[in-house]
Amino acid sequence: MTVRHVVALGGSLLRPEEAEQRTSWFGQLRQLAVHLEGNDRRLGIVVGGGLPAREGIELAKTMISDAARLDEVGIAATRLNATIVQQIFLDIGCDVAPTIPSTTSEASALLDKHHLVVMGGTQPGHTTDAVAVAFARDAGASHCIIATNVSHVFDKDPRNHDDAQSFSSMNYDQLSAITGIGEPLSPGASAVIDPIAVGWAKNAGLRLAVLDGRKIEILEQALDGKPFEGTLIQGA
Ligand code: UTP
C-alpha cells in the first residue's frame, strides 16, 4: 500500500497577520503537496476553523447556549477553511478529492482514489484534532501530525508561564496529565491538543507528532520520518 499521512492543520495557520506570509505559507504547503504526490504518497489534511470558527461561535452564543448547536457553527467554519485549501490545490491541478468528506471513513475511501483529501470537522463533541486521529486510524496511517501554532507540547501554557518546559518526546500518560483525556472541550475552546483526540490516538495505538505548522520545513521533516523540532508522543 502507498504511504499514507494525515495532518491536522490548525485553522490559525491559514491567517498569519502579514498578507505576504499568507502567500508564502500557502505556496510552501502547495509545493509540499506536489512533492508528496510526485512520490506517490497520499496525504489527508484536516483543516481547523481558526478565526471564522471563533467569531461564528461567539456570534451564535448571543442567542444559543446548546453546545452541539455551537459546535455545528464551528464545523461549518472548518469546512469553509478546508474548501479554501482544497481549491488552492485544485487550482494547480493537484490530484485532490473534489468533495469535502463529512466522515473519516468516506475520507479514507477517497484517499484510495486520490493523492490528497482535504476535510474539516464531522460531528459535534470534538475538534478537528480528533477528526485527524480518526482519519489516520481509518486510513491505516502509523501516525498523525498535529500542525499547530506552538513549537511543542509544554508542561504549562508558554504564553502565560516563562518557565514552561517543552517536551521533545513523551508518552500518553504524560500527555494526558497535561491535556486531560476523553473529556470534550467547550465549543471554540483552545488547547494544544483536544483531549478527545488524545484518547482516540492512545486507543488506536497511533503515534502523534505535535509541531509548529507555521514552518512548513518542520512539517516536511516529520512527514519524511526524519527527526523534527516538536513533540513525539508514543507508548502508554
Ligand atoms: P477546531 O478544530 O478548529 O478547533 O474546531 P481548535 O482546536 O480551536 O483548532 P484551531 O484553532 O482551528 O487550530 C473549532 C470548533 O468547531 C467545532 C468545535 O466547537 C470546535 O471548538 N467542531 C470542530 C466540532 O464540533 N466537531 C468537529 O469535528 C470539528
Side-chain angles (χ1 to χ4, degrees), residues 5 42 44 50 73 82 172 194:
H5 308 279
R42 309 254 155 164
V73 174
Y172 277 100
D194 174 2

Side-chain angles (χ1 to χ4, degrees), residues 92-179:
I92 54 157
C94 288
D95 172 32
V96 55
T99 50
I100 304 284
S102 50
T103 65
T104 55
S105 57
E106 187 191 342
S108 174
L110 283 168
L111 204 56
D112 289 336
K113 299 197 192 101
H114 298 277
H115 284 88
L116 286 161
V117 174
V118 185
M119 72 185 297
T122 54
Q123 297 287 322
H126 51 69
T127 72
T128 45
D129 291 348
V131 175
V133 164
F135 188 178
R137 178 199 63 208
D138 292 353
S142 59
H143 69 296
C144 177
I145 298 175
I146 309 281
T148 181
N149 59 5
V150 290
S151 64
H152 295 84
V153 176
F154 288 82
D155 61 349
K156 44 196 161 188
D157 190 339
R159 288 170 302 189
N160 309 325
H161 300 272
D162 290 341
D163 62 340
Q165 300 283 326
S166 67
F167 293 85
S168 56
S169 66
M170 67 198 309
N171 62 32
Y172 277 100
D173 284 345
Q174 290 171 300
L175 178 66
S176 52
I178 295 167
T179 60

Side-chain angles (χ1 to χ4, degrees), residues 11-221:
S12 65
L13 299 173
L14 274 61
R15 288 172 184 73
E17 276 175 21
E18 303 288 326
E20 214 171 277
Q21 284 175 325
R22 293 180 191 179
T23 320
S24 120
W25 185 82
F26 275 125
Q28 288 174 39
L29 181 70
R30 202 157 65 166
Q31 262 176 14
L32 176 61
V34 169
H35 165 73
L36 292 175
E37 188 179 326
N39 288 308
D40 199 25
R41 287 156 66 184
R42 309 254 155 164
L43 176 64
I45 299 181
V46 184
V47 189
L51 191 62
R54 274 200 305 282
E55 277 183 358
I57 289 169
E58 279 313 307
L59 179 57
K61 267 186 187 166
T62 55
M63 299 298 288
I64 302 169
S65 57
D66 181 75
R69 291 195 191 286
L70 296 172
D71 281 345
E72 291 290 359
V73 174
I75 292 169
T78 65
R79 291 177 64 84
L80 166 69
N81 280 345
T83 305
I84 295 169
V85 173
Q86 177 213 32
Q87 292 297 323
I88 285 173
F89 290 150
L90 276 174
D91 192 52
I92 54 157
C94 288
D95 172 32
V96 55
T99 50
I100 304 284
S102 50
T103 65
T104 55
S105 57
E106 187 191 342
S108 174
L110 283 168
L111 204 56
D112 289 336
K113 299 197 192 101
H114 298 277
H115 284 88
L116 286 161
V117 174
V118 185
M119 72 185 297
T122 54
Q123 297 287 322
H126 51 69
T127 72
T128 45
D129 291 348
V131 175
V133 164
F135 188 178
R137 178 199 63 208
D138 292 353
S142 59
H143 69 296
C144 177
I145 298 175
I146 309 281
T148 181
N149 59 5
V150 290
S151 64
H152 295 84
V153 176
F154 288 82
D155 61 349
K156 44 196 161 188
D157 190 339
R159 288 170 302 189
N160 309 325
H161 300 272
D162 290 341
D163 62 340
Q165 300 283 326
S166 67
F167 293 85
S168 56
S169 66
M170 67 198 309
N171 62 32
Y172 277 100
D173 284 345
Q174 290 171 300
L175 178 66
S176 52
I178 295 167
T179 60
I181 184 163
E183 281 293 317
L185 295 166
S186 52
S190 114
V192 62
I193 314 184
D194 174 2
I196 300 285
V198 175
W200 290 0
K202 183 180 177 184
N203 289 343
L206 283 172
R207 280 177 287 133
L208 278 181
V210 177
L211 53 81
D212 190 341
R214 291 169 296 191
K215 300 178 184 159
I216 296 289
E217 64 277 13
I218 300 180
L219 176 58
E220 190 162 6
Q221 283 163 352

